[in-house]
């Protein structure tokens, strides 16, 4: 979605000369007026005005102010808006914790939504290109990794499980602690496991032990190379509630519950806000989908004009 060109050869499937002409005329009409969103599943988001993107769409590709590359809306290499999209007109989102995004080296920059997070939450998001990633071992009691797996836990159980990680960091082995404290510790943990929600709800500070969350930005077929890296071993793994993706580059053969990176970040934060911070969600992180929702509508409308839907 990052290198999207607004001509018919990129967005539309040209069948014959007549069809190509129809597609081009339809897309040109889309560029002149805002796109209809009556069937847009993202329409309930509380977003900042996207008029700046509408203007940039009509103007076409523009230069990146840093590398001078021709881009649409923003530069996915420099993580900045292009010249036709003033930074002051782009919303900024403040996140409750820091986010590291580990990008697979073979992941095409122009197809990744990870840059959306950096553009919209620049103070809280860092993007690393694998294998150049930080060492997390010493702070694993305050870091979690978003990844579905046999040992993954739900967002609401983060505080309880991080508490156990903290205990393990204090008493990492039998040699470091007497047997009696370990037995008592095990008994306490078993009692807490009966109702982990009590552990979480007892204090808001329980949940705020989590200071950083890690996301992997790659196709699902490429994920194994990163998730098996020794630097990520031992981290608490979190799974998200089942939600359907709206991503237009859906991976062939994968279920529609496989989310794009920016969707995963957004839905995690919504769950974290409600389950851990115990606060009513009122759209605080909706602007993380500022670019995503606009592009979704643009591409969906273009496909409709092409007769694909």
């Amino acid at each position: 979605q990052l290198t999207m060109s607004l001509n018919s050869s990129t967005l539309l499937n040209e069948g014959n000369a007549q069809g190509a002409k129809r597609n081009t005329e339809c897309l040109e009409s889309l560029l002149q007026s805002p796109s209809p969103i009556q069937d847009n599943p993202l329409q309930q988001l509380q977003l900042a005005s996207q008029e700046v993107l509408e203007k940039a769409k009509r103007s076409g590709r523009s230069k990146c102010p840093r590398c001078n590359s021709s881009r649409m809306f923003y530069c996915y290499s420099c993580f900045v808006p292009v010249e036709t999209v003033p930074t002051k007109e782009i919303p900024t989102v403040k996140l409750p914790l820091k986010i590291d995004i580990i990008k697979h080296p073979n992941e095409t920059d122009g197809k990744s939504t990870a840059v959306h997070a950096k553009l919209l939450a620049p103070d809280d998001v860092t993007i690393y290109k694998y294998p150049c990633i930080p060492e997390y071992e010493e702070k694993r009691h305050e870091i979690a990794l978003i990844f579905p797996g046999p040992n993954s836990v739900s967002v609401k159980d983060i505080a309880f499980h991080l508490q156990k990680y903290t205990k393990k960091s204090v008493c990492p082995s039998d040699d470091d602690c007497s047997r009696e404290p370990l037995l008592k510790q095990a008994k306490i943990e078993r009692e807490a496991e009966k109702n982990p929600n009590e552990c979480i709800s007892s204090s808001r500070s329980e949940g705020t032990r989590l200071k950083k969350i890690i996301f992997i930005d790659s196709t699902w077929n490429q994920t194994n190379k990163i998730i098996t890296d020794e630097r990520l071993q031992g981290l608490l793994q979190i799974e998200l509630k089942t939600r359907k993706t709206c991503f237009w580059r859906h991976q062939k053969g994968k279920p529609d519950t496989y989310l794009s990176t920016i969707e995963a970040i957004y839905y995690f934060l919504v769950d974290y806000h409600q389950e851990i911070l115990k606060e009513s969600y009122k759209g605080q992180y909706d602007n993380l989908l500022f670019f995503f929702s606009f592009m979704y509508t643009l591409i969906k409308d273009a496909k409709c004009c092409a007769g694909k839907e």
Side-chain angles (χ1 to χ4, degrees):
Q1 77 275 27
L2 311 179
T3 56
M4 180 180 60
S5 172
L6 298 180
N7 56 45
S8 58
S9 63
T10 300
L11 287 178
L12 308 173
N13 181 23
E14 298 182 8
N16 50 44
Q18 182 178 359
K21 181 179 180 181
R22 176 174 60 86
N23 292 342
T24 303
E25 291 174 349
C26 180
L27 187 52
E28 287 175 350
S29 68
L30 288 173
L31 294 175
Q32 300 303 316
S33 59
S35 304
I37 59 172
Q38 63 262 22
D39 60 345
N40 183 349
L42 304 174
Q43 64 180 321
Q44 300 301 320
L45 296 172
Q46 298 180 42
L47 299 173
S49 172
Q50 294 176 319
E51 179 60 28
V52 62
L53 300 182
E54 288 286 353
K55 292 179 180 178
K57 179 180 70 174
R58 292 191 289 268
S59 299
R61 298 168 72 89
S62 181
K63 286 185 177 181
C64 167
R66 293 186 183 177
C67 68
N68 291 322
S69 297
S70 177
R71 302 283 191 244
M72 195 69 194
F73 302 129
Y74 51 80
C75 179
Y76 48 77
S77 301
C78 302
F79 309 144
V80 295
V82 294
E83 293 176 346
T84 55
V85 182
T87 303
K88 63 181 180 180
E89 295 187 41
I90 300 299
T92 300
V93 183
K94 180 60 181 175
L95 307 185
L97 37 67
K98 300 298 183 182
I99 288 179
D100 281 0
I101 301 175
I102 301 176
K103 195 171 181 300
H104 192 283
N106 294 336
E107 178 71 2
T108 304
D109 290 342
K111 293 183 178 181
S112 170
T113 61
V115 65
H116 294 188
K118 182 62 178 176
L119 282 161
L120 298 164
D123 295 335
D124 297 317
V125 175
T126 304
I127 298 178
Y128 297 94
K129 181 167 285 190
Y130 187 82
C132 299
I133 65 175
E135 295 285 347
Y136 295 110
E137 183 176 1
E138 292 185 1
K139 295 186 176 182
R140 65 177 187 169
H141 58 284
E142 59 187 32
I143 298 175
L145 171 67
I146 298 296
F147 191 79
N151 298 317
S152 297
V153 304
S154 63
V155 173
K156 67 183 179 65
D157 292 336
I158 288 177
F160 170 68
H161 287 280
L162 280 183
Q163 185 181 39
K164 294 195 296 183
Y165 273 61
T166 302
K167 291 176 181 178
K168 290 177 182 178
S169 68
V170 175
C171 288
S173 69
D174 289 347
D175 295 334
D176 298 323
C177 306
S178 66
R179 289 186 179 277
E180 184 175 339
L182 278 177
L183 290 172
K184 290 182 178 180
Q185 174 184 315
K187 181 178 180 181
I188 292 172
E189 289 185 0
R190 283 198 299 271
E191 289 297 319
E193 283 174 351
K194 292 179 182 178
N195 192 352
N197 288 332
E198 290 183 2
C199 172
I200 297 170
S201 60
S202 61
S203 170
R204 173 172 170 166
S205 64
E206 285 290 301
T208 55
R209 285 178 177 171
L210 180 65
K211 295 183 179 179
K212 180 175 290 186
I213 197 79
I214 303 170
F215 291 83
I216 296 175
D217 184 49
S218 72
T219 64
W220 283 95
N221 293 332
Q222 295 172 335
T223 301
N224 188 63
K225 181 176 182 179
I226 297 178
I227 197 62
T228 56
D229 189 287
E230 61 180 8
R231 289 167 291 184
L232 299 182
Q233 304 310 302
L235 293 178
L236 179 64
Q237 293 187 7
I238 308 298
E239 61 180 355
L240 301 178
K241 294 179 180 178
T242 301
R243 291 185 171 94
K244 293 185 178 181
T245 184
C246 290
F247 194 33
W248 47 93
R249 288 195 175 95
H250 184 66
Q251 296 176 42
K252 186 176 181 180
K254 301 299 181 182
D256 58 7
T257 53
Y258 281 20
L259 305 173
S260 65
T261 300
I262 194 63
E263 288 177 299
I265 292 173
Y266 169 74
Y267 286 125
F268 166 78
L269 289 171
V270 172
D271 290 346
Y272 181 83
H273 194 84
Q274 296 173 320
E275 301 284 358
I276 300 299
L277 300 186
K278 299 296 182 181
E279 295 181 5
S280 175
Y281 183 70
K282 299 179 180 178
Q284 290 90 334
Y285 314 119
D286 283 9
N287 274 321
L288 285 174
L289 299 179
F290 180 76
F291 291 105
F292 184 90
S293 63
F294 185 84
M295 297 166 118
Y296 169 87
T297 301
L298 178 64
I299 294 174
K300 183 177 179 64
D301 289 344
K303 288 182 177 179
C304 285
C305 284
K308 291 184 176 181
E309 296 185 4

